[in-house]
Amino acid sequence: MDSPATIDAAAREFSARYEQLAPALCVWALRHVSRTVQARIEIDDVLQEVWLRAFRLRDQFRGDLTAFRSWVFAIAKNLLLEVQRSARRLQRVQIGDGETVNLPIDQLTASMTALSQRLLRDDGIQRFHQHLATLPREDQDLVSFCGLEGGTVVDAARKLGITADAAHKRWQRLRQKLHDDGLAHDWLG
């Protein structure tokens, strides 16, 4: 069994990885929550719930930062599907009494709460989200698939029903436009 110091270090590393992609997850949630569940769930609840679920499953994850992004977004998508099906306010997952490892969970949860609240107040994220809403639907989806979720252009092309070449050119054009408009962020995939 790992020592508490090793577990604490792993928990901090997990949280640091999550913080790197949290801005992209925040924009994704702003886009999808309002459209998908019509404000039946608060964005900060989504961010915190995704973090809690991923944190609880962290021992199952093996891979690099790119795979981590896809893994976390899969958790986020599943969460929104659950909310859609239930059509009621999401009940927060409680970390069970059966937790045998002494983790600084209260500190980590408070840290993620602060992060989600900070992200929702971030002018850059809000500007990005507002700009995204002005784009044609296919461009919004391309930014979501490739830029926020970290998917491939080939997968995005398949989802959009266009050629991979067209999706690649469109994604390059969108990235350049975002850059020119001062909206290209390091958290975009």
Side-chain angles (χ1 to χ4, degrees), residues 59 84 92 99 106 116 156 179 183 185:
D59 292 336
Q84 246 180 338
R92 287 188 174 91
E99 185 74 37
D106 292 338
S116 62
H179 182 269
L183 296 168
H185 297 281

Side-chain angles (χ1 to χ4, degrees), residues 76-178:
K77 289 174 189 175
N78 286 334
L79 172 63
L80 287 187
L81 287 173
E82 286 177 26
V83 172
Q84 246 180 338
R85 282 190 301 262
S86 67
R88 59 180 163 76
R89 183 175 270 298
L90 176 68
Q91 299 296 315
R92 287 188 174 91
V93 172
Q94 298 295 318
I95 295 185
D97 294 331
E99 185 74 37
T100 57
V101 179
N102 185 18
L103 290 175
I105 193 71
D106 292 338
Q107 293 171 347
L108 292 172
T109 302
S111 172
M112 288 305 112
T113 299
L115 173 66
S116 62
Q117 290 171 348
R118 180 175 47 84
L119 290 172
L120 288 170
R121 289 188 306 265
D122 185 285
D123 288 338
I125 287 176
Q126 294 301 324
R127 277 194 316 276
F128 188 91
H129 177 249
Q130 290 166 355
H131 179 76
L132 186 60
T134 68
L135 298 176
R137 176 63 181 222
E138 278 192 344
D139 287 352
Q140 289 180 30
D141 290 343
L142 193 58
V143 170
S144 188
F145 296 146
C146 297
L148 301 176
E149 299 174 37
T152 67
V153 174
V154 172
D155 288 340
R158 194 173 10 253
K159 289 177 182 179
L160 294 172
I162 60 176
T163 67
D165 190 47
H168 182 72
K169 289 176 183 174
R170 182 178 271 175
W171 177 232
Q172 284 182 323
R173 180 183 50 79
L174 280 167
R175 286 181 64 100
Q176 186 61 50
K177 176 113 176 77
L178 290 170

Side-chain angles (χ1 to χ4, degrees), residues 40-53:
R40 293 180 186 188
I41 184 171
E42 300 292 329
I43 301 295
D44 58 342
D45 287 341
V46 171
L47 298 174
Q48 292 170 39
E49 183 68 18
V50 170
W51 178 84
L52 277 172
R53 289 180 183 203

